[in-house]
């Protein structure tokens, strides 16, 4: 096939099945594109060329024999460098793991391999998934394929940029406060955070345990459904994974939105929201109404407390999860005169500024005297946020809102930590409640930068979100637009 | 000698390794003594990305223990992270339980010689063990430490007693009784040399009559009954001397130096801890249904205390005997099997306490089970005495032969012709001979020294090769002498 | 709002060696963030249960079955310093 237009996973699957395309050639084409263009984009930290070629060869043999393992068999996928890949270095975007090679595969990686996916490499991210721009990677900058002077979003910026930039047919990131939905919106691709526990976290290097979600990026909803379907499902190695059957997400796509009740939360359309984004999102909601959905205004009064709550809970859990990085068993070690000195120097040298800030914040929030006021209070507010959603979901099936308050900003624009945190205001609530939420491209601003529409659904109701997003996508041109870079 | 000025107040925290086949949160085996770092996996090494999953059997064993000590099993409990940095803790936090432990409010009855006393057990919870740290080379000059994570993640059950203990002897008695229950329940092998059971002691002094507690000192990692007792004895002396000299007691953690018999302060920054506890987000809460708890309770074996009591009431044994016979389930089972074979509870008890236990350790279950003197054989021996076939004296010899050969007592008696001479006529002959041979004894007896009969009895026994029935000899000697 | 001593204490708890300049910068930034977070205190949460888990699962356990382990070399593969079959760390000072 021509090394020209990036195609979707489902198109590749059809071509492989017909013999119209060769997995080996397709993988080779992607590797060549990465070789030629990633220096400018900075999406990949590690390219696993040999492994990818080997996987493509076995995929091709299966296709020739008419026995593909799944619709993902032979699909070239990228993985955020937060997922442990056996024998392949996994850095989490941090110096402290710069040379770490995991002895095991994350469950989601094992499932992708078992489905025949071809893993092209590991993508760039904000260090330990802490950030909204991928500017906090210890290693390199990633650029937005729509405008190389701008950020791709974060923390899963590399995975988003790879798909948007035609350097992977699909990819995975993690979404803790918005780290897949926001980069998806910035990069004009689909990003889907499923219900908490829908996908196993085993092998996902933990940032905030109660907020981390494995989430796919794709060029369209059909691909999104395929990617999610392969990794979703109970895992005995993850005690927080949900033991519920995984529906055929693709089968449900064509059901349309007639009779679907959509809620539009007032608090997501107030001060701070870019006017062009508001216009595009409201226009998208009108499209859904035109397709047969009913629309009504709703209210989620606790929305304004989300960022503050998140920025206690996430750093607190992070400070605990990152305590293990001490130079003793793996990772960077900076010599010291004794153990405590070694550990303190190692962590000081190995962690970047944002990570240090959050570790300090988290340690403070958990320390004696502060626990009740901070972590204790935040976990209660989380319950209040959840109650808001439960109340609203008695009247509607899906919420529609913007994904982000602004479009992709320039590198260096949000130097103030708090300003960066405010980026997450619309994505945080679905993370905190564990509700599924998807960002779908819904237009561009006058500068040509992508805008994302966010749909939020009930617990374990990924199917409804996918069909609503699919109906919208099929009625609009956005999913076929590609940046010049690609 | 003046009245002791200070009352000792002691509380014990016991950590017991649970007898599971795999670790608390991963499937690594828990066998003791494996080569270093050969029983680890990404989970118990605290590698990036791993998650814990709770071992069901650890919960069962802990619940069983809680019920045995009369603790209330909480209907809901959860795990918490306890943070501190130390290289033997892979994650630099320990997954433990804090505000919502598995069980609370029970007790254990002990008797350290002053009568039975109930010692309160405040709480029981589950946690994971840490790895082992050893010095590289000589302690004094070591520049590095070496870490073995085999033990990291092994399931531990921690129990905290109330500060109800009042002496080192009571502390040792508590630990002994506690261990016996754990072993009887099958939840812990009680092997203190291997570290299956470890103890921290909190001790403080206060003037007699005072109700407030004095400043307490913690002594960590005591790994034998002796060490617990000696450490406490030293520490009490140390604190009393300090108080007498007007020096305040510093609240601190100390270690016991068994070689020198003293406690030493740890004085480490590590121990000024802010554990920053919060609920473990990677584990979900436990809700132990009453029905399940009921199952566990129904399956409890008879506990040492209850068995001891039953031995007193059912077999009419003195408490002292009952205590010794129930020191292990194996020994108690042995006793009951023997009594079932021949109903002479007291005699069998005596034989076990005097003769069997000289040869095998009472808590050495394997030795008890494999002794050549089986319960049936011991019962057989006592039966031979009771039915007059052999004397008690001869029985001692038979016992020794049973031990050496593993043969049945009846077989031994037959083979060696040890059958007691019970034929009155035959014995009378020996008695007449003895009387004839000891005119002095006879004269002494008639002069009122009744004790002289003993010498004659002795001679008859000797002449009969020990086989004459002693009671019969005694009677005959008395009769004949009286008639003279 | 948060003092220099607080920052140094927390840095010790978190085992982070911070330079004087970093301590000051951290103090400023954390003060700003904490001031924002303090808006949460105004919320009335009396009687509200905390959410520790987004999905209400209970009693998730595994059977007590031993599973294969890593070999010693695999376990030590990423060790910054090892001595034969042990992980090696600098001496621990008790002062």
């Amino acid at each position: 096939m021509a090394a020209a237009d990036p195609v979707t996973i489902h198109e590749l699957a059809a071509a492989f099945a017909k013999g119209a395309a060769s997995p080996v050639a397709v993988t080779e084409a992607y590797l060549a594109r990465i070789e030629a263009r990633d220096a400018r984009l900075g999406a990949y930290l590690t390219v696993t060329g040999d492994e990818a070629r080997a996987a493509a060869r076995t995929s091709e043999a299966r296709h020739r024999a008419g026995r593909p393992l799944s619709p993902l068999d032979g699909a070239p996928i990228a993985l955020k460098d937060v997922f442990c890949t056996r024998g392949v270095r996994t850095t989490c975007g941090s110096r402290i793991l710069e040379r770490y090679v995991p002895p095991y595969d994350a469950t989601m990686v094992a499932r992708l391999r078992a489905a025949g996916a071809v893993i092209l490499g590991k993508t760039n991210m904000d260090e330990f998934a802490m950030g909204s721009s991928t500017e906090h990677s210890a290693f390199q900058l990633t650029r937005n394929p729509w405008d190389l002077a701008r950020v791709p979003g974060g923390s899963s910026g590399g995975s988003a940029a790879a798909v948007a930039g035609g350097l992977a047919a699909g990819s995975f990131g993690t979404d803790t406060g918005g780290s897949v939905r926001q980069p998806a919106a910035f990069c004009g691709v689909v990003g889907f955070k499923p219900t908490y526990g829908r996908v196993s976290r085993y092998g996902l290097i933990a940032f905030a345990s109660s907020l981390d979600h494995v989430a796919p990026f794709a060029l369209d909803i059909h691909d999104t459904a395929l990617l999610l379907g392969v990794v979703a499902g109970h895992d005995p190695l993850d005690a927080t994974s949900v033991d519920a059957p995984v529906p055929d997400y693709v089968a449900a796509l064509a059901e349309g939105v007639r009779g679907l009740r959509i809620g539009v939360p007032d608090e997501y359309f107030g001060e701070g929201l870019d006017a062009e984004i508001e216009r595009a999102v409201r226009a998208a909601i009108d499209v859904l109404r035109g397709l047969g959905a009913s629309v009504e205004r709703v209210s989620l009064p606790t929305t304004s407390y989300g960022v503050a709550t998140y920025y206690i809970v996430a750093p607190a859990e992070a400070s605990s999860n990152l305590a293990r990085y001490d130079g003793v068993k793996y990772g960077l070690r900076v010599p010291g005169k004794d153990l405590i000195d070694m550990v303190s120097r190692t962590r000081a040298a190995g962690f970047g500024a944002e990570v240090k800030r959050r570790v300090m914040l988290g340690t403070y929030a958990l320390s004696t005297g502060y626990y009740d006021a901070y972590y204790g209070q935040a976990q209660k507010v989380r319950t209040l946020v959840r109650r808001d959603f439960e109340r609203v979901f008695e009247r509607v099936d899906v919420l529609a809102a913007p994904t982000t308050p602004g479009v992709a900003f320039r590198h260096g624009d949000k130097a103030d930590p708090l300003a960066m945190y405010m980026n997450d205001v619309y994505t945080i609530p679905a993370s905190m409640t564990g509700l599924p939420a998807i960002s779908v491209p819904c237009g561009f601003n006058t500068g040509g930068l992508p805008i994302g529409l966010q749909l939020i659904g009930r617990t374990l109701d990924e199917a409804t979100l996918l069909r609503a997003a699919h109906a919208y996508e099929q009625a609009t041109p956005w999913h076929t637009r590609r940046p010049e870079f690609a | 000698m003046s009245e002791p000025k200070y009352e000792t107040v002691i509380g014990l925290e016991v950590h017991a390794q649970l007898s599971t086949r795999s670790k608390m949160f991963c499937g690594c085996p828990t066998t003791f003594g494996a080569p270093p770092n050969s029983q680890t996996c990404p989970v118990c090494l605290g590698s990036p990305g791993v998650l814990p999953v709770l071992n069901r059997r650890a919960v069962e064993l802990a619940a069983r223990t809680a019920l045995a000590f009369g603790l209330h099993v909480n209907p809901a409990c959860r795990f918490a992270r306890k943070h501190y940095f130390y290289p033997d803790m892979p994650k630099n936090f320990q997954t433990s339980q804090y505000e919502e432990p598995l069980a609370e409010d029970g007790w254990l009855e002990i008797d350290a010689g002053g009568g039975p006393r109930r010692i309160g057990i405040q709480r029981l919870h589950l946690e994971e063990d840490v790895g082992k740290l050893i010095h590289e080379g000589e302690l004094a000059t070591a520049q590095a430490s070496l870490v073995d994570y085999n033990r990291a993640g092994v399931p531990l059950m921690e129990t905290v007693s109330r500060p109800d203990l009042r002496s080192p002897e009571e502390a040792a008695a508590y630990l002994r009784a506690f261990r016996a229950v754990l072993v009887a329940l099958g939840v812990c092998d009680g092997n203190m040399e291997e570290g299956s059971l470890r103890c921290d002691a909190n001790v403080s002094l206060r003037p007699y009559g005072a109700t407030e507690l004095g400043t307490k000192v913690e002594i960590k990692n005591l790994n034998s009954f002796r060490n617990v007792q000696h450490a406490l004895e030293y520490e009490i002396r140390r604190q009393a001397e300090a108080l007498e000299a007007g020096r305040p007691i510093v609240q601190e953690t100390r270690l016991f130096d068994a070689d020198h018999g003293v406690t030493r302060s740890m004085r480490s920054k590590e121990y000024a801890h802010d554990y920053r506890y919060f609920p473990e987000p990677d584990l979900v809460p436990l809700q132990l249904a009453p029905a399940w708890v009921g199952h566990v309770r129904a399956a409890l074996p008879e506990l040492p205390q209850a068995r001891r009591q039953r031995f007193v009431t059912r077999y009419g044994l003195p408490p002292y005997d009952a205590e010794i016979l129930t020191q292990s389930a194996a020994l108690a089972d042995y006793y009951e099997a023997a009594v079932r074979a021949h109903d002479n509870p007291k005699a069998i008890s005596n034989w076990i306490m005097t003769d069997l236990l000289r040869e095998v350790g009472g808590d050495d279950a394997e030795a008890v089970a494999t002794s050549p003197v089986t319960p049936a054989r011991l019962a057989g021996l006592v039966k031979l005495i009771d039915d007059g076939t052999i004397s008690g004296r001869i029985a001692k010899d038979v016992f020794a032969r049973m031990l050496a050969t593993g043969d049945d007592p009846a077989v031994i008696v037959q083979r060696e012709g040890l059958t007691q001479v019970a034929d009155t006529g035959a014995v009378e002959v020996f008695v007449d001979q003895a009387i004839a041979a000891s005119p002095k004894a006879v004269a002494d007896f008639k002069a009122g020294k009744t004790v002289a009969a003993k010498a004659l009895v002795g001679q008859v026994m000797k002449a009969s090769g020990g086989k004459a029935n002693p009671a019969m000899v005694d009677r005959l000697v008395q009769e004949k002498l009286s008639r003279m | 709002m948060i003092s220099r001593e607080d920052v140094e204490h927390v840095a010790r708890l978190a085992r982070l060696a911070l330079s004087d300049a970093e301590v000051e910068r951290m103090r400023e930034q954390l003060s700003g963030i904490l001031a924002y977070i303090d808006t949460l205190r105004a919320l009335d949460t009396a009687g509200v249960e905390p959410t520790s888990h987004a999905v209400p699962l209970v009693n998730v356990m595994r059977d007590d079955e031993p599973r294969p382990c890593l070999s010693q070399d695999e376990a030590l593969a990423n060790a910054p310093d090892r001595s034969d079959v042990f992980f090696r760390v600098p001496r621990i000072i008790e002062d």
Side-chain angles (χ1 to χ4, degrees), chain C residues 62-74:
Chain C
R62 46 168 256 279
D63 291 337
D64 184 29
E65 286 301 324
R67 289 164 53 87
C69 298
L70 294 173
S71 68
Q72 286 168 314
D73 280 332
E74 284 173 321

Side-chain angles (χ1 to χ4, degrees), chain A residues 178-436:
Chain A
S179 292
V180 160
R181 288 165 286 156
Q182 182 249 36
F186 280 11
C187 290
V189 295
V190 179
F192 189 14
K193 183 200 80 62
T195 306
Y196 182 85
R198 179 79 281 192
V199 182
S200 168
R201 288 185 299 121
Y202 185 76
L204 148 52
I205 298 181
F207 157 23
S209 312
S210 73
L211 297 162
D212 285 344
H213 303 70
V214 175
F217 289 101
L219 291 170
D220 67 14
I221 296 299
H222 187 161
D223 277 5
T224 307
L226 287 175
L227 288 168
L228 182 62
V230 163
V231 295
H234 180 249
D235 181 12
L237 294 176
D238 177 354
T240 62
S241 77
V242 171
D243 193 357
V246 180
D248 181 343
Y249 293 123
V250 176
L253 287 181
E255 279 172 37
V257 296
R258 196 149 294 284
L260 192 71
R261 301 169 299 169
I262 296 180
V264 181
D266 284 342
E267 292 80 5
Y268 285 57
F269 288 86
E271 192 187 310
L273 175 60
D274 176 284
E276 290 190 272
I277 292 184
E278 176 160 5
R279 227 180 351 261
V281 170
R282 289 203 187 277
I285 293 168
D286 281 339
V287 168
L288 284 163
R289 186 188 279 115
L291 291 170
S294 67
V295 179
E296 65 183 268
R297 279 174 67 176
V298 297
S299 173
L300 297 166
T302 53
T303 302
S304 63
Y305 293 103
V307 173
T309 308
Y310 176 83
Y311 279 99
I312 295 172
V313 175
E317 293 181 4
S319 71
S320 174
N321 288 325
L322 269 60
R324 68 194 66 196
Y325 303 108
D326 59 3
V328 171
K329 306 161 298 292
Y330 44 73
L332 178 72
R333 177 188 289 196
V334 172
K337 60 184 190 327
D338 57 48
L339 177 81
I340 293 179
D341 191 41
M342 180 278 275
V343 172
S344 303
R345 283 172 189 275
T346 296
R347 290 161 66 78
F351 290 150
E354 182 61 33
V355 168
K356 281 185 197 155
R357 205 164 15 243
R358 297 204 198 187
V359 165
M360 290 287 289
L361 191 54
T363 305
Y364 185 78
L366 290 175
S367 63
T368 305
Y370 296 106
Y371 178 91
D372 288 332
Y374 289 113
Y375 192 78
Q377 176 75 342
Q379 291 288 61
K380 291 180 182 180
V381 173
R382 220 169 148 175
T383 304
L384 295 179
V385 174
R386 188 174 186 96
R387 285 184 191 170
D388 267 5
F389 279 91
E390 281 166 358
R391 207 180 7 88
V392 153
F393 280 129
E394 280 168 18
R395 287 166 37 208
V396 299
D397 306 308
V398 161
L399 298 172
T403 307
T404 59
V407 293
F409 44 87
R410 291 174 149 12
H411 290 109
D413 255 6
K414 307 256 190 223
D416 172 40
L418 254 183
M420 186 72 85
Y421 299 165
M422 293 310 293
N423 253 298
D424 302 331
V425 60
Y426 303 140
T427 49
I428 274 173
S431 290
M432 286 209 316
T433 53
L435 296 169

Side-chain angles (χ1 to χ4, degrees), chain B residues 258-275:
Chain B
D259 295 330
H260 297 97
V262 300
T263 62
R264 296 189 199 289
S265 174
M266 293 187 81
R267 266 181 289 116
S268 161
K269 274 196 296 202
E270 288 300 331
Y271 290 88
H273 288 308
D274 179 349
Y275 292 124

Side-chain angles (χ1 to χ4, degrees), chain C residues 25-91:
Chain C
R25 196 163 49 241
M26 193 67 81
R27 194 196 64 75
E28 272 171 35
Q29 289 178 337
L30 289 183
S31 293
I33 296 168
L34 287 167
Y36 175 71
I37 284 173
D38 264 351
T39 56
L40 276 193
R41 300 217 202 190
L43 272 178
D44 179 12
T45 54
V48 177
E49 279 301 303
T51 297
S52 332
H53 291 97
V55 172
L57 297 171
V58 294
N59 295 347
V60 176
M61 291 182 271
R62 46 168 256 279
D63 291 337
D64 184 29
E65 286 301 324
R67 289 164 53 87
C69 298
L70 294 173
S71 68
Q72 286 168 314
D73 280 332
E74 284 173 321
L76 289 153
N78 285 288
D81 189 12
R82 67 185 274 189
S83 169
D84 183 29
V85 290
F86 291 95
F87 292 85
R88 190 170 179 272
V89 297
R91 65 200 179 138

Side-chain angles (χ1 to χ4, degrees), chain B residues 62-74:
Chain B
R64 196 190 288 182
T65 310
L67 292 170
F69 288 123
L71 281 95
H72 167 68
V73 174
N74 285 324

Side-chain angles (χ1 to χ4, degrees), chain B residues 231-291:
Chain B
L232 286 168
E233 283 165 357
Y234 173 82
E235 183 57 24
I236 291 164
R237 265 201 313 278
R238 188 190 74 85
Q239 289 191 21
E241 273 171 27
L243 289 172
E244 285 302 281
R247 282 178 279 126
I249 305 295
V250 174
Q251 179 164 342
E252 61 174 345
T253 301
R254 298 174 77 87
L255 288 178
F256 182 57
D257 176 349
D259 295 330
H260 297 97
V262 300
T263 62
R264 296 189 199 289
S265 174
M266 293 187 81
R267 266 181 289 116
S268 161
K269 274 196 296 202
E270 288 300 331
Y271 290 88
H273 288 308
D274 179 349
Y275 292 124
R276 304 188 295 291
Y277 285 103
F278 76 97
E280 170 61 79
D282 291 332
L283 292 173
V284 299
L286 276 181
Q287 286 178 1
L288 301 177

